[in-house]
Amino acid sequence: MNVQIFAEPSGYLDFARLGPLSRAVAAVLAESAHRRVGDMPLAWFEEQAARTRSAAARLLRAAEHEVAFVSSTSHGLFAAAAALHGEGVVLLPRGEFPANVYPWLRFEGRGGLRVRWIDEVRLTPQVLAEHLDASVRALAVSAVDALTGYPAPLGALKEVLGPGRVLVVDAIQGLGAVPLEVEAADVLVCGGQKWLRAGWGAALFLARDRVAGLMAPGLGGWSGVEGPLAGPAPRPPLAGAAAHTMTNPDYSGVAALGVAIELVLEAGVAEIGRRTADRLGELLDTARAAGARVLLDAPAGAGGPAPPGAGRGPGRGAAEWSGIGSFTMPGRDPAAVHAALAVAGLTTTLRGEWIRLSPHATTSGEAVQRLAAALHPPRKESS
């Protein structure tokens, strides 16, 4: 992977919040701005959108018409919640990030599915099976948990759900950074501003043909119908994911998203994931050596039960890795530790007592050294 096309600070460990742009993405955004100031050749923007759709289809292993563009991950999740209206239940893990909660809550009681919570730290196929009954029509889940870094077993979850139910996946904390079982997702949404490093403005919305009969274009606007100016409304919805779009996307954001995805495809998700996981493992081992408690290592009652094989030292399984890990320093104020990391030039996120680390494949070894120095303050000499 050519790290020279990226330019984030060496201590940047916050891709789960925002990914610094690559030079290639910055260049296409500048080109987009130039085009908009000039004679507005719409054809150029349409060409970029077609290029992005092709790249996204390859990344998601989907047909091109199954991919559309919306403004954000939240926009896509609201579209999914609006599309799955009528009687029935959507299952939601209790710890889901709020972006994957509020769309379902807002449509509940307004023609949407009823929300049923799953009160488990880790959603496994066995846990899912215990919550299934004839009323369940969908499961909404994050591909990677935003705090623990736990990657959902999407393939096994879809197998338990079966073909008559819809698996809705919020993929923003993993797509492009770690291998995901994207084929299992019936609906997938992912903004470009985090691990894809494409900035704000555009998000992927995948809706596979196999669930087209289970969804209606609830948020579909004029951009989602055939010939919107050809006759009186309502017009027939378009085939594929575009039926769920409200209006034209931010074409500059779409162009940036396309360049970012092409960089991912060029490097290979497997290679990016390996480097990301290795660097995260080094960082977490460094934290452990300083006395930290890592969230996925925590026993029951201290952040949730530890998954089988948790902890890099004991041989954490490859399927357990993502780009996210969180730790706390027992006996030390989390805010003070977080501040000390910032002084050391490390950018991280503080969530309650947990300090979240989210490196990428381009994160240098210098970040590991800085973490070690920050967590091992020099001892005071005895008088």
Side-chain angles (χ1 to χ4, degrees), residues 133-343:
D133 58 34
S135 68
V136 175
R137 290 180 54 196
L139 166 67
V141 66
S142 292
V144 174
D145 183 77
L147 179 62
T148 67
Y150 170 67
L154 299 179
L157 294 177
K158 178 56 184 176
E159 185 175 353
V160 172
L161 281 175
R165 300 184 178 97
V166 180
L167 176 59
V168 180
V169 176
D170 176 351
I172 197 169
Q173 292 295 9
L175 188 66
V178 293
L180 299 177
E181 296 173 297
V182 292
E183 301 95 334
D186 298 311
V187 175
L188 181 147
V189 298
C190 183
Q193 76 271 23
K194 298 190 180 186
W195 299 93
L196 290 173
R197 309 177 70 154
W200 280 287
L204 298 175
F205 182 85
L206 166 74
R208 297 196 188 272
D209 290 343
R210 66 190 182 219
V211 294
L214 304 176
M215 302 171 65
L219 289 188
W222 73 274
S223 64
V225 300
E226 297 179 2
L229 303 179
R235 303 291 298 167
L238 293 170
H244 302 278
T245 63
M246 293 192 297
T247 187
N248 287 330
D250 177 340
Y251 280 110
S252 296
V254 170
L257 187 56
V259 170
I261 292 173
E262 287 174 348
L263 290 175
V264 169
L265 293 171
E266 180 182 347
V269 175
E271 177 64 13
I272 295 172
R274 182 189 66 78
R275 292 192 182 200
T276 301
D278 285 350
R279 188 63 76 210
L280 176 63
E282 293 172 0
L283 290 163
L284 293 180
D285 280 350
T286 298
R288 291 186 185 99
R293 180 159 56 89
V294 175
L295 182 54
L296 277 184
D297 296 349
R312 193 169 189 265
R316 184 180 180 189
E320 294 290 337
W321 280 114
S322 70
I324 298 173
S326 298
F327 73 91
T328 190
M329 300 295 292
R332 296 173 63 177
D333 176 35
V337 175
H338 185 247
L341 297 184
V343 170

Side-chain angles (χ1 to χ4, degrees), residues 115-138:
V115 172
R116 182 186 300 166
W117 298 101
I118 298 178
D119 291 311
E120 295 287 344
V121 174
R122 298 170 67 241
L123 182 58
T124 65
Q126 294 76 19
V127 169
L128 175 60
E130 294 171 359
H131 287 79
L132 286 185
D133 58 34
S135 68
V136 175
R137 290 180 54 196

Side-chain angles (χ1 to χ4, degrees), residues 8-20 195 283 323 325 327 337-350 355-360 363 366-368 370-371 374:
E8 73 268 16
S10 60
Y12 191 83
L13 302 174
D14 214 9
F15 284 88
R17 186 177 60 171
L18 179 65
W195 299 93
L283 290 163
F327 73 91
V337 175
H338 185 247
L341 297 184
V343 170
L346 296 172
T347 303
T348 63
T349 286
L350 179 63
I355 295 171
R356 185 179 67 184
L357 307 176
S358 50
H360 211 313
T363 301
E366 183 180 341
V368 180
R370 291 188 184 189
L371 182 65

